[in-house]
Amino acid sequence: MTTTEADPSPLSGNDTAPASGPRHAAESAPEPTDENAWLEDIHGEEQLAWVREQNARTEELLEDADYAAVESGILEVLDSTDRIAMVNKRGDFYYNFWKDQEHPKGLWRRTTWESYLTEDPEWDVLLDVDALAAAEGVEWVFHGAGFLRPSDGAEYRFAMVSLSPDGGDADRHREFDVETRTFVDPAAGGFDIPTAKGNISWLDADTLLVSSTAEGLPATSSSYARTGVKLRRGQSLADAERLFEIPENHMLAMVAHDSTPGFERTFAVDYIDFYNRSTWLLRDDSWVAIDVPTDVNISVHRDWLLFRPQGDWEAAGVTYPAGSLLAADFESYLAGPAELLVLFTPDAHTSLQSWSWTKDYLLLNLLRDVSSEIRVLDPSAVDASGSWASTVLDACPPLHDVNAYAVDDEDVSDSGAGNDFWLVATGFTTPTTLTRGTLSPAAAQDTADGDVADGGVVSGGVVSRHTEVKRSPSFFNEAAYEVQQHFAVSLDGTKVPYFQVASKDLVLDGENPTQLSGYGGFEVSRTPAYSGTIGRAWLERRTAGIASDDGAAAHSRGGVY
């Protein structure tokens, strides 16, 4: 899935000289000084002494008669292991990475679907990162694993595991065998890429595509990989064939292989800076540029090429607004001018957060006034505008954050999970729930009276059958509170949505203790989310109000969030 960031706002103001009179040279502003810069030494004795002093001042103010009870309630929420273990499907297994009090560095593990549906699944631990760190004397931090696609009919077995020695963005990549639950010995040909910034991708069972600064490979001025190489089993990075290189003043280079059966392709990306990039396709041993402006993000899925412009994009006399989503046939676009289909256009209230492909459908995760809406697009059906038919997935309660993404779009067997999707929903008074659903054409189902069994609904031309799988625990009395949405009006007339969570018996007299927070950068929205700590420590924590002028007792109040 991909989301794009907003463009930096241009500077405003008039730098034109006045019509008459001399223009004066701008005076240099004094260099700002940071009186707290000395705190940058996070291990210094003087700095740590200052931290201890501030902690002591804070604790003196906080630790009243109720503090211990509040602290205990918060710790119970934070230390709870009764939370949803989210999984990723690979082949017949469901993989999870899990941390708890006994395993702070985490366990990489897997289970079957039948076991996952139970209250207490049987987990097969593949890698205990705490045990690995103790054995090797390195404070490893698990950064994920990428599987080699097996041959048809075989199970996923080999993966490149990414481990950071300190939690930073420099990783060591090591080949791991999930059958033997061991790293493949480098002396026997196992891949082991030294710690460095970069990324890797399987090309085939004996070849990796690597972007790295290890073993003397060149770096950009941003300290990221400048080249992409083809590394064969048993080879050193220094001897690997160089496939792709970018200028030193660009940010980073990346090479990757799409192993989707029938659509195998190798790509390279030149990340020029945070907002601009160029993408290339390797074809007949030559790099072919995908011709789009550098501020248009692209992604590929089988036959389709998707475009997400970060700024307004004019193509063939049509201007497509920033934040829209467009599609074109991949091969047609490479061959020359191709029709661009508009899949989504933002408006003053609605934005695209992410998208995910199932085998036959495209799921769009939208926010409408910061509340989720999910649309299902069917490339095989065309609407009146000539674009893909779009229907609303009937699974988003109002004032909630709901995200849909594919379970395994490459499971293409007749009884497979190719059109299955996960649905993760949360709200201020709704603990997180995990639902699994299946999309199919409406004509293939019994649509009598518009209903479908097992929780499914008919939504235009697509049927969704979905059932709740897991639910997070409740940590406060959610039924006592209600969520409202209001709009503050900016000076320029913009309506800014905000949520209010408060007791249903809230007295509207302006005397309620209120916690207010907000954010507005990098296209990151503050969406509804369940928090047991806010529920216990703020909503439920009672404080005495202000007595009325006639001497009536003060009303005991909970917090407003």
Side-chain angles (χ1 to χ4, degrees):
M1 293 181 286
T2 305
T3 55
T4 57
E5 301 82 12
D7 280 336
S9 297
L11 296 177
S12 59
N14 186 350
D15 62 358
T16 304
S20 61
R23 177 169 181 159
H24 300 284
E27 296 181 2
S28 298
E31 280 293 320
T33 58
D34 182 1
E35 65 273 17
N36 295 314
W38 67 280
L39 291 170
E40 292 291 335
D41 182 4
I42 62 174
H43 300 294
E45 282 301 319
E46 188 179 2
Q47 289 82 357
L48 292 175
W50 181 89
V51 170
R52 287 190 289 269
E53 178 186 352
Q54 307 313 310
N55 287 345
R57 292 176 57 199
T58 303
E59 289 167 358
E60 183 179 357
L61 291 170
L62 283 178
E63 293 184 0
D64 56 17
D66 297 329
Y67 181 84
V70 173
E71 179 186 44
S72 176
I74 291 175
L75 287 175
E76 184 182 350
V77 174
L78 297 178
D79 291 338
S80 172
T81 60
D82 187 16
R83 62 184 187 272
I84 299 175
M86 298 296 185
V87 291
N88 291 316
K89 181 180 178 294
R90 291 292 181 272
D92 293 332
F93 290 97
Y94 291 77
Y95 291 79
N96 164 262
F97 187 71
W98 179 264
K99 293 182 179 181
D100 58 29
Q101 191 171 12
E102 295 179 0
H103 308 94
K105 293 186 179 301
L107 301 171
W108 187 38
R109 57 190 191 171
R110 69 182 183 182
T111 190
T112 64
W113 178 245
E114 292 74 21
S115 182
Y116 185 67
L117 289 175
T118 67
E119 291 188 7
D120 188 18
E122 294 182 5
W123 292 102
D124 176 12
V125 176
L126 304 171
L127 179 63
D128 183 332
V129 182
D130 295 270
L132 178 69
E136 298 186 346
V138 181
E139 296 299 316
W140 292 120
V141 177
F142 186 81
H143 276 177
F147 274 103
L148 166 69
R149 178 186 300 282
S151 57
D152 290 345
E155 190 53 70
Y156 283 83
R157 177 173 178 177
F158 295 102
M160 292 299 296
V161 171
S162 301
L163 295 164
S164 168
D166 54 12
D169 56 359
D171 290 336
R172 180 179 172 186
H173 304 280
R174 303 164 71 178
E175 187 176 4
F176 190 85
D177 184 343
V178 298
E179 278 195 13
T180 63
R181 291 151 187 74
T182 58
F183 290 104
V184 181
D185 187 354
F191 288 114
D192 189 346
I193 312 300
T195 300
K197 295 180 179 179
N199 75 286
I200 59 168
S201 174
W202 289 98
L203 180 61
D204 56 47
D206 293 311
T207 316
L208 296 177
L209 300 179
V210 181
S211 305
S212 178
T213 58
E215 296 186 4
L217 290 179
T220 65
S221 55
S222 299
S223 76
Y224 293 100
R226 188 180 168 189
T227 59
V229 303
K230 181 190 292 186
L231 180 68
R232 302 189 186 279
R233 192 175 294 278
Q235 228 180 6
S236 69
L237 281 175
D239 294 332
E241 177 188 354
R242 294 197 182 185
L243 296 177
F244 185 72
E245 186 168 349
I246 64 172
E248 184 180 6
N249 63 347
H250 288 194
M251 190 168 69
L252 67 92
M254 186 182 75
V255 286
H257 184 67
D258 179 358
S259 60
T260 304
F263 298 93
E264 293 86 352
R265 293 172 284 219
T266 294
F267 295 94
V269 183
D270 173 5
Y271 288 86
I272 301 168
D273 56 33
F274 194 69
Y275 296 107
N276 293 277
R277 68 197 65 172
S278 298
T279 304
W280 304 74
L281 169 70
L282 186 61
R283 178 155 286 180
D284 298 327
D285 296 324
S286 298
W287 290 109
V288 177
I290 298 179
D291 185 19
V292 295
T294 59
D295 65 345
V296 175
N297 292 344
I298 64 174
S299 65
V300 178
H301 177 83
R302 293 192 174 94
D303 294 316
W304 297 106
L305 180 60
L306 298 188
F307 309 83
R308 175 81 186 278
Q310 299 177 82
D312 290 349
W313 177 25
E314 184 176 344
V318 179
T319 299
Y320 301 99
S324 57
L325 186 67
L326 317 170
D329 178 84
F330 182 83
E331 293 297 337
S332 297
Y333 190 86
L334 287 184
E339 179 185 7
L340 294 178
L341 301 175
V342 178
L343 306 183
F344 170 78
T345 302
D347 59 35
H349 299 272
T350 312
S351 61
L352 173 64
Q353 300 301 294
S354 62
W355 62 85
S356 179
W357 284 95
T358 70
K359 181 170 68 74
D360 298 310
Y361 304 101
L362 179 63
L363 293 160
L364 301 186
N365 292 301
L366 311 178
L367 282 183
R368 188 181 299 277
D369 288 331
V370 206
S371 187
S372 288
E373 176 182 302
I374 297 171
R375 302 195 72 87
V376 183
L377 274 59
D378 183 356
S380 69
V382 178
D383 62 17
S385 69
S387 188
W388 299 346
S390 172
T391 55
V392 175
L393 184 67
D394 186 13
C396 295
L399 307 187
H400 279 66
D401 180 42
V402 187
N403 286 281
Y405 55 97
V407 172
D408 184 358
D409 68 293
E410 295 177 1
D411 186 353
V412 297
S413 61
D414 291 340
S415 58
N419 282 319
D420 286 6
F421 63 93
W422 299 116
L423 203 67
V424 181
T426 184
F428 293 108
T429 58
T430 304
T432 300
T433 60
L434 174 66
T435 295
R436 181 167 178 167
T438 300
L439 300 171
S440 58
Q445 303 291 339
D446 179 9
T447 58
D449 299 323
D451 294 326
V452 178
D454 301 324
V457 296
V458 175
S459 182
V462 179
V463 171
S464 168
R465 296 177 178 270
H466 43 269
T467 304
E468 184 177 305
V469 176
K470 303 278 184 181
R471 176 177 290 266
S472 293
S474 166
F475 288 107
F476 63 98
N477 181 21
E478 299 91 356
Y481 302 90
E482 66 177 347
V483 180
Q484 298 178 356
Q485 187 178 54
H486 304 282
F487 292 81
V489 181
S490 178
L491 290 177
D492 66 358
T494 302
K495 292 185 177 181
V496 182
Y498 68 92
F499 298 100
Q500 174 183 295
V501 189
S503 172
K504 291 180 177 178
D505 61 1
L506 182 68
V507 178
L508 300 177
D509 60 2
E511 301 294 343
N512 297 287
T514 301
Q515 181 184 153
L516 173 66
S517 64
Y519 188 74
F522 300 99
E523 291 191 356
V524 176
S525 298
R526 293 288 302 276
T527 55
Y530 185 85
S531 172
T533 58
I534 291 174
R536 287 188 172 187
W538 186 249
L539 296 177
E540 289 189 336
R541 190 175 185 185
R542 311 300 292 185
T543 60
I546 300 175
S548 62
D549 294 337
D550 60 6
H555 179 71
S556 177
R557 302 170 186 267
V560 176
Y561 181 58

